[in-house]
Amino acid sequence: MEHALLTVNRLKTYFYTEDGVVPAVDDVSFAIKKGEVVAIVGESGSGKSVTSLSVMRLIENPGKIAGGEILFEGRNLVDISLKKMRELRGNQLAMIFQEPLTSLNPVFTIGNQLAESIRLHQKKNKKEAIKIGIEMLEKVGIARANQVYDQYPHALSGGMQQRVMIAMALSCNPKLLIADEPTTALDVTIQAQILRLMKDLIEEFGTSILLITHDLGVVAEMADQVIVMYGGQVVEQADVFTLFKEPKHPYTKGLIDSTPKIHEWKEELNSIPGTVPGPFEFPEGCKFADRCPFVMDKCKAESPPVIEIGKGHVVRCWLHGEKGLKLNESKSFT
Amino acid sequence: MSQNPLLEVRGLKKSFDVTKGFLKKEKHYLYAVNDVSFTLKKGEVLGIVGESGCGKSTLGNLIVHLHEPTAGEILFEGISLLDLPAEQLRRRRADIQIIFQDPFSSLNPRKRVFDIIAEPLRTHLALSKAELKQDVLHLMELVGLNRSYLYRYPHEFSGGQRQRVGIARAIALRPKLIICDEPVSALDVSIQSQILNLLKKLQKELQLTYLFIAHGLPAVKHVSDRIAVMYLGKIVELTTKEKLFMNPMHPYTEGLLSAIPIPDPTERKEQRKLLEGDIPDPVNPPAGCKFHPRCPYKTEICSRIEPEFTEKEVGHFVACHHPLGKENKE
Ligand SMILES: Nc1ncnc2c1ncn2[C@@H]1O[C@H](COP(=O)(O)OP(=O)(O)OP(=O)(O)O)[C@@H](O)[C@H]1O
Ligand SMILES: Nc1ncnc2c1ncn2[C@@H]1O[C@H](COP(=O)(O)OP(=O)(O)OP(=O)(O)O)[C@@H](O)[C@H]1O
Ligand code: SF4
Ligand SMILES: [Mg+2]
Ligand SMILES: [Mg+2]
């Protein structure tokens, strides 16, 4: 079997707040191979960002990695020194966020920040760094790269800022790029451009991507593997084709059903009943029990184990416990 | 059309003075809404879509009179809202309500659900205490809020529940027209469809008329009868939702449709046509057709002459020199 670039093993990241412990990431495992796009999808508060910040070791107080391991090329990131981690960030590991402005410094020009990053990580001299910087801007599809190089971040549109962020992240030629909702703040025509850009870059550089999104359309468009999270747990994981064709977890099925389809006309849209509970409001047993149309007594009493029901297809749900009931039979969402 | 429209908007314009921030002495204006006309029948839902900054909220705010128009007319039941005396205008305002995008900031955090929903009833009707409570409870039931929430505060609710509170308040006075300004875009996917279903159900049951604003076509598709697509302050296409999805005539509409990611990996369109470029600076919009810098079908005339908004087929309005027909679509 091909060796994974990143292996996350039973990761637990908890927040120790005044109101109690929030298990934001609770026993999460997955792997990313070279050149692969792994998407994490789930609703607000499901633990997507905390998972990615854990990989970058960017969890701040009162949060803590409380268990598990994060193996990057065989090294466990959970217990290497912060100094070593800082070296990896920006070199081997890079991250882009939903709001590009939060990570660009408003008082320096684009070029300044880009060249700085290139000099730091690629040990180039000033002149070389400028040249590479402008090339990177061209690579991410910025017209008039020469001029944009000397502009300040606020003078650019959201789409251009996100392109600059991608250029910065790629300027150090990382092996893994973590993109946390990179297109959520963008308009749909600009989103389509950025997604295409990311695809082209995967082809050109062979970068692996951990893509975080709440949009199943983006997942279907981009991902090789998909991880579905709910309440800090992985509830289902499969390759993208299997996941959309044969979702096994009621939550996955509910999410797919409630995503609007452009060529579907119906009187009533599918939805999942209820709302995502607050961090201290999840039910005992299965965390999805209070919204699940298939709920059984067992679900309310006991947390379901993770089982593998097909090659690389993993689900956390009692329906697939001993009996292995089929989801498409019997009830469905309304 | 025999029936008189409930709302008619004619040549509506709103410009903002944005001279600040420019060094020159000369004035700079941003035309947020630039010559918009349409009609809305009673009981109809008109969707308004377009990307960030195209003027959707400004249009909605003009109709509820949060902005003063620069030019044009707004006729409600045939009467111009702009020259009504104050008292009549106040009564008219009860007929037009608005629901905002952000359920977190649009509700007063210091008020209980009861007071939030009761506020318009108190302002406009003289009800006894018991009647008021009964009305509020009935409204809560209509929007699917548990009556045990009556004395809770907004921060105790999820986004979807807060949006239900906002909807209950908006329908309290049985308005004739509701402007829905992106009512679901701040919500989780599984909650969006709940709220869309609720809005549609209420619209049918209470025979409401909506102007339904959204960023993207998927969100307006379900509730709308007709859809208007806006770009840089103008409506570029307006027709029934079926025609818009099956037979878009404006190149921008076609671009919007093809940019929507399809939630099915077997339908990945590796080679799909994407719109190039960015939305231009609204203070210095391009000459001619405002879409021409991004348009794959533009010709020489497009950069010189602004296309008129005309009825190209029955009930299908387009502003384009080269509207897409069956022949020139790929
Ligand atoms: N600094 C913090 N202190 C306490 N709890 C936190 C903190 N940061 C995150 N959490 C909790 O961790 C959980 C997961 O949050 P996370 O940001 O990972 O969600 P997400 O899936 O990225 O959601 P979104 O789609 O809204 O970005 C939430 O319940 C959140 O309240
Ligand atoms: N008070 C104001 N002063 C100056 N410019 C304004 C003002 N209000 C809106 N604008 C500008 O008018 C244009 C239209 O804004 P509007 O809020 O109507 O867009 P929108 O279509 O609702 O966008 P969004 O999808 O982001 O909500 C934008 O360019 C905006 O910057
Ligand atoms: S008028 Fe010309 S530029 Fe404008 S949309 Fe039509 S073809 Fe494109
Ligand atoms: Mg997040
Ligand atoms: Mg708006």
Side-chain angles (χ1 to χ4, degrees):
Chain A
M1 202 176 91
E2 205 186 326
H3 219 64
L5 177 70
L6 180 86
T7 309
V8 172
N9 229 332
R10 313 210 62 168
L11 176 71
K12 292 183 173 156
T13 305
Y14 290 1
F15 286 87
Y16 299 87
T17 70
E18 282 177 13
D19 302 322
V21 180
V22 180
V25 171
D26 198 12
D27 197 10
V28 164
S29 305
F30 62 91
I32 306 180
K33 287 186 228 151
K34 184 173 166 9
E36 197 175 48
V37 180
V38 174
I40 303 184
V41 65
E43 293 177 290
S44 167
S46 57
K48 306 183 294 295
S49 295
V50 173
T51 302
S52 59
L53 292 171
S54 301
V55 174
M56 294 295 276
R57 283 275 301 278
L58 289 172
I59 297 293
E60 287 175 359
N61 260 329
K64 229 190 176 140
I65 296 182
E69 49 182 20
I70 300 168
L71 300 173
F72 182 70
E73 300 194 304
R75 251 180 311 184
N76 188 356
L77 301 185
V78 173
D79 44 43
I80 64 171
S81 73
L82 273 179
K83 181 164 171 281
K84 194 87 211 126
M85 192 63 218
R86 266 195 293 270
E87 271 172 45
L88 283 178
R89 261 182 237 145
N91 269 325
Q92 318 263 1
L93 295 165
M95 184 155 179
I96 53 178
F97 298 90
Q98 173 173 349
E99 296 290 342
L101 269 191
T102 56
S103 10
L104 288 168
N105 190 329
V107 300
F108 294 108
T109 62
I110 298 297
N112 228 311
Q113 302 182 50
L114 201 50
E116 175 73 26
S117 152
I118 292 165
R119 283 176 69 187
L120 204 71
H121 298 298
Q122 298 188 17
K123 312 208 166 43
K124 301 280 180 194
N125 69 32
K126 203 170 166 188
K127 229 173 131 187
E128 288 167 329
I130 293 176
K131 190 168 159 275
I132 297 174
I134 293 176
E135 278 170 14
M136 284 309 297
L137 290 180
E138 282 167 354
K139 204 150 251 169
V140 296
I142 288 182
R144 300 178 299 113
N146 267 314
Q147 285 162 309
V148 170
Y149 189 85
D150 291 319
Q151 282 182 323
Y152 290 89
H154 65 85
L156 305 180
S157 70
M160 275 168 83
Q161 288 166 1
Q162 202 56 288
R163 286 174 198 268
V164 169
M165 281 311 302
I166 293 174
M168 295 251 276
L170 293 175
S171 65
C172 50
N173 206 354
K175 292 183 175 154
L176 175 65
L177 175 68
I178 300 180
D180 190 348
E181 310 250 10
T183 57
T184 304
L186 304 176
D187 277 317
V188 61
T189 63
I190 312 298
Q191 159 169 294
Q193 295 171 0
I194 298 286
L195 293 181
R196 170 159 303 173
L197 168 67
M198 288 176 61
K199 272 191 191 165
D200 292 348
L201 296 171
I202 300 163
E203 283 212 350
E204 188 173 346
F205 298 102
T207 319
S208 306
I209 296 188
L210 180 62
L211 175 68
I212 291 172
T213 176
H214 61 268
D215 184 343
L216 279 174
V218 172
V219 172
E221 197 72 44
M222 299 291 291
D224 299 308
Q225 293 286 324
V226 190
I227 297 164
V228 184
M229 287 187 75
Y230 188 80
Q233 297 180 321
V234 175
V235 295
E236 184 160 7
Q237 184 174 345
D239 73 86
V240 70
F241 296 101
T242 306
L243 190 101
F244 279 88
K245 192 161 163 249
E246 295 172 63
K248 294 293 182 191
H249 198 285
Y251 178 64
T252 312
K253 189 162 191 307
L255 267 190
I256 293 174
D257 287 350
S258 51
T259 302
K261 322 268 177 318
I262 210 75
H263 292 300
E264 199 175 81
W265 306 85
K266 47 164 93 170
E267 258 315 288
E268 199 169 342
L269 299 171
N270 295 315
S271 63
I272 302 176
T275 60
V276 183
F280 302 111
E281 294 163 356
F282 283 99
E284 303 265 307
C286 172
K287 292 192 165 188
F288 190 58
D290 61 343
R291 301 179 72 191
C292 182
F294 306 96
V295 65
M296 308 171 288
D297 287 342
K298 188 168 194 170
C299 311
K300 296 179 194 158
E302 235 181 297
S303 180
V306 176
I307 58 160
E308 188 163 0
I309 48 170
K311 194 170 168 292
H313 190 171
V314 157
V315 62
R316 187 192 290 269
C317 170
W318 281 122
L319 289 176
H320 308 284
E322 294 92 339
K323 290 230 193 71
L325 194 86
K326 291 255 165 52
L327 248 196
N328 350 17
E329 296 164 10
S330 68
K331 281 174 260 179
S332 94
F333 288 91
T334 47
Chain B
M1 261 184 277
S2 57
Q3 197 192 359
N4 269 337
L6 178 73
L7 177 76
E8 181 167 7
V9 166
R10 281 195 206 141
L12 196 62
K13 289 187 184 180
K14 175 67 190 176
S15 62
F16 294 105
D17 186 343
V18 288
T19 311
K20 249 190 311 177
F22 286 89
L23 299 171
K24 293 195 198 112
K25 287 264 162 57
E26 114 202 43
K27 289 250 181 207
H28 287 84
Y29 293 100
L30 185 159
Y31 276 88
V33 170
N34 195 355
D35 199 4
V36 162
S37 305
F38 62 87
T39 60
L40 192 51
K41 278 183 295 186
K42 185 169 165 29
E44 190 186 25
V45 179
L46 176 64
I48 306 269
V49 288
E51 296 179 281
S52 184
C54 70
K56 306 179 296 294
S57 295
T58 306
L59 176 61
N61 291 342
L62 283 165
I63 294 166
V64 291
H65 215 138
L66 290 169
H67 287 315
E68 206 62 49
T70 309
E73 274 188 300
I74 302 170
L75 303 175
F76 188 77
E77 298 187 318
I79 301 162
S80 168
L81 288 183
L82 302 173
D83 34 52
L84 273 186
E87 171 55 20
Q88 280 186 47
L89 187 62
R90 199 186 71 92
R91 257 188 283 139
R92 278 292 173 205
R93 286 231 187 121
D95 286 337
I96 309 177
Q97 294 292 322
I98 188 161
I99 299 168
F100 293 101
Q101 164 173 1
D102 187 356
F104 295 87
S105 61
S106 62
L107 302 178
N108 186 337
R110 281 182 297 275
K111 285 195 173 164
R112 294 166 198 271
V113 166
F114 175 75
D115 294 301
I116 292 170
I117 300 176
E119 185 185 275
L121 296 168
R122 284 192 176 121
T123 319
H124 289 274
L125 308 171
L127 297 176
S128 74
K129 247 189 168 159
E131 285 170 328
L132 193 63
K133 185 166 170 189
Q134 205 187 350
D135 269 18
V136 171
L137 283 174
H138 178 61
L139 285 163
M140 287 175 72
E141 195 187 318
L142 271 178
V143 300
L145 279 173
N146 195 306
R147 54 195 296 153
S148 67
Y149 295 159
L150 191 60
Y151 297 112
R152 298 231 194 134
Y153 290 95
H155 74 259
E156 300 174 58
F157 292 120
S158 68
Q161 287 167 325
R162 277 185 243 215
Q163 201 55 290
R164 288 177 197 267
V165 175
I167 293 168
R169 179 178 60 180
I171 61 171
L173 293 168
R174 294 296 135 83
K176 292 178 177 153
L177 172 64
I178 300 183
I179 315 288
C180 307
D181 191 354
E182 307 220 28
V184 299
S185 22
L187 304 176
D188 270 322
V189 191
S190 75
I191 312 299
Q192 289 195 1
S193 32
Q194 286 178 8
I195 299 294
L196 289 173
N197 283 338
L198 170 67
L199 285 166
K200 187 161 185 179
K201 182 193 91 166
L202 292 172
Q203 188 261 333
K204 285 208 165 132
E205 284 178 13
L206 309 177
Q207 287 156 10
L208 298 167
T209 307
Y210 290 161
L211 188 73
F212 195 97
I213 297 171
H215 247 88
L217 286 162
V220 291
K221 181 181 144 211
H222 181 61
V223 283
S224 305
D225 300 309
R226 289 187 301 151
I227 296 175
V229 178
M230 282 185 79
Y231 191 77
L232 277 183
K234 298 205 170 264
I235 294 181
V236 296
E237 181 159 8
L238 169 61
T239 187
T240 62
K241 71 171 164 192
E242 289 80 8
K243 281 191 183 163
L244 195 89
F245 278 85
M246 311 293 196
N247 180 26
M249 289 177 94
H250 198 283
Y252 178 59
T253 311
E254 185 190 56
L256 270 186
L257 280 166
S258 79
I260 299 166
I262 297 164
D264 180 354
T266 62
E267 278 187 42
R268 263 180 209 180
K269 289 191 252 163
E270 305 288 349
Q271 295 314 324
R272 78 165 109 157
K273 229 177 352 172
L274 294 184
L275 282 182
E276 311 260 329
D278 241 332
I279 299 161
D281 174 9
V283 181
N284 294 298
C289 169
K290 298 203 161 23
F291 184 61
H292 86 261
R294 301 177 75 190
C295 182
Y297 306 96
K298 63 170 173 276
T299 60
E300 188 270 330
I301 188 179
C302 305
S303 57
R304 276 191 301 115
I305 296 167
E306 175 143 33
E308 263 180 71
F309 185 61
T310 51
E311 191 165 5
K312 295 270 163 32
E313 284 172 12
V314 180
H316 200 148
F317 297 82
V318 189
C320 172
H321 292 301
H322 310 294
L324 306 171
K326 281 168 193 93
E327 349 44 87
N328 60 353
K329 219 174 295 176
E330 288 157 46

